[in-house]
């Protein structure tokens, strides 16, 4: 094993140490936020309590009173889950057709879809507010769900397409021979085979929906407002309420970060966007 | 039914939805950009409703074109996007190579590294600008104060005291100031998106041809030339993907800009439009059309880069 002998002492010891240091630096801001969330607002700004302090759960127990956290959180869950499901329902058949029955226009359609993602949202902000207010959709769950799924649809289709493309066509053809119709092919063959890709697409879409902070902030006021709106609307003036702000921030990103940890392998699998063969 | 009907039908909902999502607001923006349209105008109340009678031709475009703030916003947009792209790709490659080989705790390192990617932009900005970068109460302020204290103490020390008394007192940097706020945005977004680059590069490195590498080693290739002539070309396609996806997201940055300094010094194009929308819809729409043109220039370039590899 020439390659193993090649590795110097440096790469055997220094590289893992360096990797650990880099990882801890990257994680530190999140750790610091978590730490601050257990301090009282007064302690949070005192340097002498930086790492040694009396932990308190006060910020979390008061979260409902201070921020009405649960309403925003449930809005986030409802809209993100629904938008993800809707985007998949529209995206899977589309990607299926593009991957297994490509025509000459398929590539152009895909490119066009991606290019809609590049339209600056700000350019159409006012018409959207104007339109949705005039037809009474402003600040509704329905609107947020539609917007979230539409802005993510191009990426959903692209990810699914690159994933489906690697499935041998013969397997799908075999299904046709067995007398399956299109729906049967999707349900019986494609979905079980591409389950990994579909799951990782769903995960990434869910994360993007949960974290979206442009439309969800600007097209809602109260009823359909999500956690992004809660954080952006309640950021305290400098130095005030670091403790409670950390607590509500931790509660806003916690579910997604933990979900991401558990599904990391799954996510990596689908995240290549066809970049890795 | 012909062979082609079913595939077309399956694509129809997605195509129609995206077409509607693109054309309706864009059409309205185009219309507004050619009329005088203000939300509040007591002197000319007829301008407060969108009507073809208030036609202004290219007046809004001319107005925006002559605003210094518009050009500053374009400059800032490009500065922010290009800096983030460069930093995330460079850091991403370095970290991916660093964790490519197995070592104790690699799984945990990966989990820690990827975490920032899941943090929502609003929380990211609030966390960085308040708790990390604040010149007095944030970690930066605390760190600078501590360093100053240590230096002050060392001034009385024997031997080295003379050396340290030459040192200046360090001043913490305020990242809400006009000159620095764009760097705060670059810093926090780089922190969040480097993990994304790492993920993609890491996956790509795992598919690298090990035999080719061993052959290179036998031929006497050093670590650097292995990286330069084997690894880097192998990463070409993933780099294209990372650049494209990030460009999509960062051209429309908003929450970070708003939270860091309310656009003071770091105003990008979306933020500039957001400010105009408070009253001058005509000018905001004209700026929007400029933004669409800019995005299309970027898009043509990026899609060419990625498109070649898409259908293989």
């Amino acid at each position: 094993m020439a390659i193993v002998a090649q590795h110097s002492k440096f790469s055997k010891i220094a590289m893992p140490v360096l990797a650990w240091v880099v990882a801890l630096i990257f994680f530190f801001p999140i750790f610091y936020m978590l730490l601050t969330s257990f301090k009282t607002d007064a302690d949070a700004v005192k340097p002498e309590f930086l790492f040694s302090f009396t932990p308190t759960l006060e910020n979390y127990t008061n979260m409902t009173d201070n921020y009405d956290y649960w309403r925003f959180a449930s809005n986030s869950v409802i809209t993100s889950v629904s938008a993800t499901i809707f985007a998949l329902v529209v995206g899977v058949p589309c990607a299926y057709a593009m991957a297994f029955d490509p025509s000459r226009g398929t590539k152009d359609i895909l490119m066009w879809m991606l290019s809609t993602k590049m339209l600056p949202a700000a350019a159409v902000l006012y018409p959207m507010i104007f339109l949705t207010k005039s037809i009474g959709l402003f600040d509704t769950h329905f609107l947020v769900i539609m917007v979230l799924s539409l802005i993510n649809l191009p990426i959903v289709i692209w990810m699914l397409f690159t994933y489906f493309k690697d499935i041998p066509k013969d397997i799908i053809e075999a299904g046709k021979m067995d007398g399956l119709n299109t729906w049967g092919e999707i349900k019986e063959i494609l979905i079980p085979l591409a389950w990994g890709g579909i799951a990782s697409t769903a995960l990434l879409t869910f994360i993007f929906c949960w974290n979206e902070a442009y439309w969800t902030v600007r097209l809602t006021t109260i009823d359909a407002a999500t956690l992004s709106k809660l954080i952006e609307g309640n950021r305290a003036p400098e130095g005030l309420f670091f403790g409670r702000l950390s607590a509500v921030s931790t509660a806003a990103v916690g579910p997604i970060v933990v979900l991401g940890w558990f599904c990391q392998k799954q996510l990596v699998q689908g995240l290549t966007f066809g970049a890795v063969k | 039914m012909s062979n082609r009907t079913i595939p077309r039908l399956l694509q129809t909902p997605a195509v129609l939805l995206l077409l509607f999502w693109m054309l309706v607001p864009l059409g309205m923006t185009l219309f507004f950009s050619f009329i005088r349209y203000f939300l509040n105008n007591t002197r000319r109340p007829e301008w407060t409703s969108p009507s073809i009678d208030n036609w202004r031709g290219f007046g809004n475009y001319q107005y925006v074109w002559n605003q210094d703030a518009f050009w500053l916003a374009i400059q800032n947009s490009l500065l922010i996007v290009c800096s983030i792209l460069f930093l995330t790709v460079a850091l991403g490659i370095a970290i991916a190579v660093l964790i490519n080989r197995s070592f104790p705790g690699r799984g945990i390192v990966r989990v820690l590294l990827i975490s920032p990617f899941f943090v929502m932009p609003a929380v990211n900005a609030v966390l960085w600008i308040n708790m990390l970068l604040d010149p007095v109460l944030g970690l930066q302020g605390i760190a600078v104060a501590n360093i100053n204290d240590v230096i002050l103490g060392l001034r009385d020390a024997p031997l080295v005291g003379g050396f340290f008394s030459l040192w200046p007192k360090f001043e913490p940097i305020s990242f809400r100031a006009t000159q620095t706020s764009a760097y705060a945005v670059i810093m926090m977004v780089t922190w969040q998106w480097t993990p994304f680059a790492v993920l993609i590069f890491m996956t790509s490195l795992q598919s690298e041809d090990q035999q080719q590498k061993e052959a290179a080693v036998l031929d006497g290739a050093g670590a650097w030339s292995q990286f330069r002539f084997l690894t880097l070309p192998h990463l070409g396609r993933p780099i294209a993907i990372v650049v494209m996806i990030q460009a999509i997201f960062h051209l429309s940055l908003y929450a970070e800009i708003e939270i860091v300094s309310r656009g003071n010094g770091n105003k990008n194009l979306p933020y500039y439009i957001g400010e105009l929308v408070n009253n001058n819809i005509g000018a905001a729409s004209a700026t929007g059309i400029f933004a669409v043109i800019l995005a299309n220039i970027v898009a043509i370039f990026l899609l060419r880069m990625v498109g070649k590899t898409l259908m293989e």
Side-chain angles (χ1 to χ4, degrees):
Chain A
M1 290 289 275
I3 203 114
V4 177
Q6 258 277 315
H7 294 171
S8 58
K9 269 234 164 62
F10 167 77
S11 60
K12 265 203 195 114
I13 298 168
M15 279 179 70
V17 171
L18 195 60
W20 267 98
V21 170
V22 171
L24 290 175
I25 291 173
F26 265 82
F27 189 71
F28 180 77
I30 297 173
F31 169 73
Y32 188 57
M33 176 173 76
L34 185 68
L35 199 69
T36 311
S37 73
F38 295 115
K39 299 178 190 174
T40 61
D41 287 332
D43 284 0
V45 293
K46 289 186 189 133
E48 62 266 34
F49 294 131
L50 196 57
F51 292 110
S52 60
F53 57 94
T54 331
T56 168
L57 280 174
E58 188 185 300
N59 294 319
Y60 288 98
T61 48
N62 291 344
M63 208 160 57
T64 318
D65 295 336
N66 290 340
Y67 293 108
D68 201 1
Y69 170 80
W70 290 108
R71 203 193 44 210
F72 292 95
S74 67
N75 279 340
S76 271
V77 173
I78 293 168
T79 53
S80 303
V81 170
S82 316
T84 305
I85 293 172
F86 185 73
L88 284 178
V89 167
V90 178
V92 168
C94 179
Y96 162 83
M98 285 175 158
F100 296 111
D101 270 306
S103 66
R104 261 179 301 157
T106 298
K107 185 185 161 192
D108 295 328
I109 296 178
L110 254 176
M111 286 295 149
W112 165 74
M113 284 179 167
L114 277 176
S115 77
T116 65
K117 187 84 189 125
M118 295 196 184
L119 280 182
V124 295
L125 172 63
Y126 185 72
M128 281 301 291
I129 294 177
F130 182 87
L131 263 179
T132 51
K133 276 193 172 156
S134 58
I135 51 177
L137 279 178
F138 191 79
D139 197 19
T140 58
H141 286 113
F142 176 77
L143 175 70
V144 176
I145 292 167
M146 287 313 286
V147 167
L148 286 179
S149 52
L150 281 174
I151 58 175
N152 285 302
L153 192 56
I155 291 203
V156 167
I157 293 175
W158 189 20
M159 270 182 85
L160 290 173
F161 170 78
T162 53
Y163 210 87
F164 291 170
K165 212 161 43 75
D166 292 341
I167 294 173
K169 229 176 164 173
D170 307 345
I171 300 181
I172 302 285
E173 294 293 329
K176 221 167 251 164
M177 298 292 182
D178 291 346
L180 285 174
N181 58 13
T182 307
W183 169 236
E185 279 169 32
I186 294 181
K187 205 180 83 168
E188 305 288 333
I189 302 175
L190 182 72
I191 293 182
L193 265 179
W195 183 242
I198 295 172
S200 71
T201 308
L203 262 171
L204 192 73
T205 313
F206 181 76
I207 292 169
F208 282 153
C209 289
W210 185 278
N211 291 347
E212 211 283 329
Y214 190 79
W215 293 116
T216 46
V217 171
R218 261 144 275 274
L219 292 180
T220 59
T221 45
I222 301 169
D223 292 343
T226 62
L227 285 167
S228 283
K229 176 115 181 168
L230 171 69
I231 304 291
E232 209 178 315
N234 281 287
R235 59 186 195 279
E238 284 135 77
L240 281 171
F241 314 132
F242 275 11
R244 58 173 90 167
L245 194 63
S246 298
V248 75
S249 299
T250 306
V253 301
I256 287 293
V257 173
V258 173
L259 180 78
W261 286 348
F262 280 111
C263 308
Q264 194 219 144
K265 286 229 169 75
Q266 189 57 255
L267 199 63
V268 170
Q269 215 179 49
L271 245 186
T272 60
F273 293 102
V276 180
K277 289 285 131 111
Chain B
M1 265 197 281
S2 87
N3 270 351
R4 300 234 56 89
T5 319
I6 290 178
R8 290 236 174 91
L9 271 179
L10 291 175
Q11 291 177 40
T12 311
V15 170
L16 283 184
L17 278 169
L18 283 173
L19 206 62
F20 176 80
W21 168 244
M22 188 183 92
L23 287 184
V24 174
L26 198 62
M28 289 177 73
T29 299
L30 205 58
F31 172 58
F32 290 157
S33 75
F34 286 110
I35 60 171
R36 288 173 206 276
Y37 183 14
F38 296 86
L39 292 183
N40 294 300
N41 196 324
T42 37
R43 211 162 45 83
R44 303 292 296 270
E46 69 271 22
W47 288 352
T48 55
S49 59
S51 153
I52 193 90
D53 299 333
N54 302 329
W55 191 257
R56 200 187 177 185
F58 283 96
N60 285 322
Y61 291 89
Q62 209 169 14
Y63 168 80
V64 171
W65 188 268
N66 291 325
Q67 296 289 310
D68 288 342
F70 170 69
W71 293 103
L72 218 58
I74 290 193
Q75 209 179 315
N76 266 329
S77 292
L78 293 177
L79 168 76
I80 291 173
V81 173
C82 294
S83 310
I84 296 169
L85 285 178
F86 174 76
L87 288 171
T88 49
V89 169
L91 281 171
I93 292 177
I95 296 174
V97 170
L98 196 61
I99 62 172
N100 191 29
R101 247 177 260 140
S102 76
F103 57 84
R106 182 164 166 235
I108 302 170
V109 162
R110 243 170 23 189
V111 162
L112 294 179
L113 268 176
I114 193 183
S115 303
F117 184 58
F118 305 127
V119 173
M120 62 171 66
V123 167
N124 177 5
V126 167
L127 170 67
W128 273 82
I129 200 65
N130 287 316
M131 280 179 273
L132 297 177
L133 293 178
D134 192 275
V136 181
L137 303 167
L139 268 188
Q140 189 220 170
I142 297 171
V144 170
N146 277 325
I147 291 171
N148 280 335
D149 282 351
V150 169
I151 292 175
L152 205 65
L154 283 172
R155 278 183 191 176
D156 301 328
L159 288 173
V160 290
F163 172 68
F164 280 104
S165 59
L166 295 174
W167 279 36
K169 190 169 178 286
F170 290 107
E171 292 291 336
I173 303 163
S174 167
F175 279 95
R176 285 192 177 86
T178 317
Q179 299 87 345
T180 48
S181 54
Y183 299 105
V185 173
I186 292 169
M187 225 183 295
M188 55 185 68
V189 180
T190 301
W191 173 71
Q192 174 157 36
W193 282 83
T194 299
F196 173 76
V198 171
L199 268 185
I200 292 197
F201 296 150
M202 194 178 71
T203 322
S204 168
L205 284 181
Q206 276 157 11
S207 70
E208 203 180 355
D209 189 349
Q210 288 304 322
Q211 284 184 334
Q212 204 179 26
K213 268 202 151 170
E214 281 174 42
V217 171
L218 290 179
D219 287 346
W224 171 251
S225 46
Q226 277 179 53
F227 173 76
R228 169 70 188 76
F229 296 106
L230 293 177
T231 307
L232 213 52
H234 179 74
L235 287 176
R237 196 190 288 196
I239 290 174
I241 300 280
V242 168
V243 166
M244 174 165 152
I245 301 245
Q246 287 205 74
I248 290 175
F249 277 86
H250 303 333
L251 274 174
S252 51
L253 275 183
Y254 197 101
E256 290 90 342
I257 310 264
E258 161 85 13
I259 291 169
V260 166
S261 68
R262 293 185 173 278
N264 173 23
N266 58 9
K267 199 173 295 167
N268 64 356
L269 216 42
Y271 199 88
Y272 180 61
I273 297 170
E275 279 185 349
L276 286 173
V277 162
N278 290 329
N279 191 23
N280 191 345
I281 304 300
S285 302
T287 316
I289 299 299
F290 279 130
V292 171
I293 295 169
L294 181 72
N296 270 306
I297 294 172
V298 178
I300 289 170
F301 177 69
L302 290 174
L303 289 177
R304 275 238 178 104
M305 200 162 71
V306 177
K308 264 183 275 172
T309 67
L310 194 66
M311 301 306 287
E312 279 164 23

